[in-house]
Amino acid sequence: MNFLKRHNIERNFPRGIYLSPLGEIPSFEITELDGYTGNLFIPVPEYEGMPAEIKNNDGSRVSAGEVLACSPEPIYSPCDGEIVSLTYCQIQKYGECRAICIKPSKSFCTRIYVGHGNKSVMPEKTDSSYILELISKTGIVCSDGVLLYDKLCELKSKHIRIVIANAASPEPDINTPAAILNSYPDIVYTGLALMKHFFEAETAIMAYPNELEIDTENPDNWQVLTVPISEKYPQYHPKCVLQTLCRQSVISRKDTEHSVVFDIQTLALIERAILAGINPTERIVTVCGDAVDNPGHYLVPVGLPVSELLEIAQVKNHYECIVAGRSLTGAAVDPARTVIGPFCESYVVIKESSRNAPDRCLNCGRCIEFCPAALDPIRLNDLIELQDFIKAEQYGLFDCLECGLCSYCCPAGLKILENIKMAKRIKDGK
């Protein structure tokens, strides 16, 4: 019976592929940072038309939790210390940005957060307007780089009826969501219940990898429906999760218009901010890849240099490149200049990168076969190379999920995803 259930789950996700892990899959253990004495470089990203306001000058003393800047979201200090300088750093998705360099006044540690929601505070006692007010002060950024406050304001008018938590792994060896759910079930379920209450939704769903043995007490406490889903890539994408839930008859296609999907780490940050008043100065970041002997998940402060994280993770092997984000869609970074950002998720350390030289299309059809958005990626690629962006948009340019399967599966090594991303930036005027 279990086999039939699992088999049915795997069949329910169309297209996509079962990726092989690039290296060893990390265990669910989350490691704390203990006794760090180096500098932190707190990134201050700026948005078009909204310059950042930095609150302190060189030599200023700051306390843990103090507002360092508004960008426009508040940016908090993760520790007591002294501002050494205003400098520059690189962070995932934003690239180069200003940074506030802080020297901790004493050795800095992170500690596993226990949580306040499970039995002490019921989400029903927290008013929706009060939740939004608290979120506006926290500066929580979702894993896709969108400010949580902006996301909630936009969705509030869409009559959300179903709130979904997605614990699928972005890639097999980037199992961060499952590790967080396994380690902090009470925090995650409370965060999900708070969002259900905020939207006055009818249903809350936890979509989790079918191979994960999940906690059963918390879903019952918060009246959350738990639904196992496949490990097929790119199941982490909100559109793919909604599609899977439709095919499993958990929700209807009409329901997808009134559903919202949250990543697991954001839900944990929501619980901490609303029920404990703790601002998001830490992230759980995964270090993995075929050049990592002991891959793992690390609770580290925002602003920690990636070079320090690699040392903490004991990455000593020779490696060719480090990818911020996922191996299929991320960007290679310089660990000496890159720091942990407010929505950082993972770093993949790759022993040897692909040397495929772009060549002509072989007409194999793999990119079409595996595309989870049911697009014709090579047709889009040809239109983009002809700079016919209007027609590319007609062929579904903005329906692309940017999962990277087209480039990954292409035997000719064509840079299809890179061209699609470039075309989107041109059409958006960025």
Side-chain angles (χ1 to χ4, degrees):
M1 192 67 179
N2 288 336
F3 169 78
L4 293 175
K5 183 179 179 183
R6 183 167 63 251
H7 184 65
N8 184 51
I9 290 166
E10 292 176 351
R11 288 178 60 239
N12 272 328
F13 182 59
R15 297 176 178 265
I17 64 173
Y18 288 95
L19 285 177
S20 298
L22 182 62
E24 184 181 346
I25 296 177
S27 70
F28 288 157
E29 181 182 355
I30 295 174
T31 303
E32 303 169 346
L33 180 69
D34 191 17
Y36 177 69
T37 57
N39 290 343
L40 297 175
F41 299 83
I42 313 303
V44 185
E46 294 188 291
Y47 303 87
E48 187 175 352
M50 293 182 288
E53 178 189 358
I54 296 177
K55 303 286 188 181
N56 305 91
N57 299 316
D58 296 3
S60 299
R61 303 290 301 179
V62 294
S63 303
E66 182 178 337
V67 176
L68 299 175
C70 293
S71 159
E73 75 279 6
I75 296 172
Y76 298 92
S77 174
C79 63
D80 297 334
E82 178 184 343
I83 295 181
V84 177
S85 64
L86 300 180
T87 182
Y88 287 86
C89 69
Q90 291 186 344
I91 59 172
Q92 186 178 343
K93 297 186 182 179
Y94 282 92
E96 190 90 359
C97 72
R98 284 200 288 176
I100 301 171
C101 178
I102 297 180
K103 180 176 179 57
S105 57
K106 55 184 179 180
S107 62
F108 182 77
C109 302
T110 58
R111 287 290 175 261
I112 298 298
Y113 170 69
V114 177
H116 286 251
N118 190 16
K119 294 180 180 177
S120 58
V121 181
M122 296 296 288
E124 288 76 8
K125 296 180 181 178
T126 308
D127 182 74
S128 295
S129 59
Y130 179 59
I131 290 177
L132 192 61
E133 180 185 351
L134 287 176
I135 292 298
S136 70
K137 297 176 181 178
T138 62
I140 294 175
V141 185
C142 302
S143 293
D144 57 4
V146 177
L147 272 173
L148 177 62
Y149 175 78
D150 291 345
K151 182 174 184 175
L152 295 182
C153 288
E154 180 185 352
L155 291 170
K156 188 63 175 172
S157 62
K158 294 189 176 181
H159 307 292
I160 298 298
R161 296 198 301 265
I162 301 173
V163 180
I164 301 165
N166 181 14
S169 300
E171 290 182 8
D173 40 359
I174 307 177
N175 58 342
T176 326
I180 295 173
L181 177 59
N182 184 75
S183 301
Y184 310 139
D186 55 334
I187 298 175
V188 173
Y189 283 112
T190 306
L192 178 59
L194 284 164
M195 287 296 93
K196 177 186 176 184
H197 173 66
F198 173 79
F199 288 110
E200 299 179 0
E202 301 166 4
T203 307
I205 298 173
M206 172 60 70
Y208 69 96
N210 64 301
E211 295 182 355
L212 176 66
E213 293 184 8
I214 66 165
D215 168 89
T216 56
E217 181 181 349
N218 277 290
D220 291 340
N221 287 343
W222 299 126
Q223 298 179 338
V224 172
L225 176 64
T226 55
V227 180
I229 56 177
S230 77
E231 301 283 350
K232 209 170 197 179
Y233 182 85
Q235 188 67 273
Y236 73 92
H237 197 284
K239 287 185 178 179
C240 294
V241 171
L242 291 172
Q243 188 179 19
T244 294
L245 294 176
C246 284
R247 291 173 67 88
Q248 292 183 195
S249 301
V250 177
I251 63 175
S252 68
R253 293 196 179 277
K254 190 176 180 180
D255 288 333
T256 61
E257 300 173 9
H258 303 283
S259 300
V260 59
V261 180
F262 287 98
D263 65 270
I264 299 301
Q265 185 142 206
T266 297
L267 292 173
L269 292 174
I270 287 170
E271 193 271 356
R272 296 181 68 172
I274 294 174
L275 298 185
I278 298 177
N279 294 312
T281 58
E282 299 171 342
R283 294 288 294 179
I284 295 170
V285 180
T286 301
V287 179
C288 60
D290 59 1
V292 182
D293 287 336
N294 298 302
H297 313 287
Y298 297 88
L299 180 66
V300 294
V302 170
L304 180 75
V306 171
S307 57
E308 297 284 355
L309 175 61
L310 297 181
E311 187 173 329
I312 293 166
Q314 299 180 352
V315 178
K316 298 176 181 178
N317 286 346
H318 166 75
Y319 57 85
E320 185 169 333
C321 71
I322 296 173
V323 176
R326 299 145 196 159
S327 63
L328 269 64
T329 62
V333 297
D334 178 1
R337 300 196 65 240
T338 308
V339 303
I340 303 301
F343 44 85
C344 179
E345 182 178 64
S346 57
Y347 287 94
V348 184
V349 189
I350 298 174
K351 188 178 295 184
E352 184 177 352
S353 60
S354 172
R355 297 294 184 183
N356 283 348
D359 201 348
R360 63 181 181 83
C361 173
L362 303 180
N363 296 316
C364 66
R366 290 183 182 177
C367 60
I368 301 173
E369 178 185 357
F370 296 122
C371 176
L375 302 177
D376 187 341
I378 191 59
R379 177 63 170 161
L380 278 174
N381 188 70
D382 291 344
L383 291 170
I384 291 166
E385 290 187 343
L386 293 171
Q387 298 189 3
D388 192 345
F389 301 119
I390 294 176
K391 200 163 187 179
E393 188 172 359
Q394 294 171 353
Y395 272 79
L397 174 66
F398 287 95
D399 292 327
C400 170
L401 306 182
E402 298 185 17
C403 68
L405 277 180
C406 50
S407 297
Y408 176 76
C409 296
C410 179
L414 296 176
K415 297 181 178 180
I416 302 174
L417 176 61
E418 188 175 314
N419 287 337
I420 288 175
K421 286 183 175 180
M422 178 268 295
K424 285 185 177 182
R425 289 195 297 270
I426 292 173
K427 286 294 292 180
D428 286 335
K430 297 180 179 179

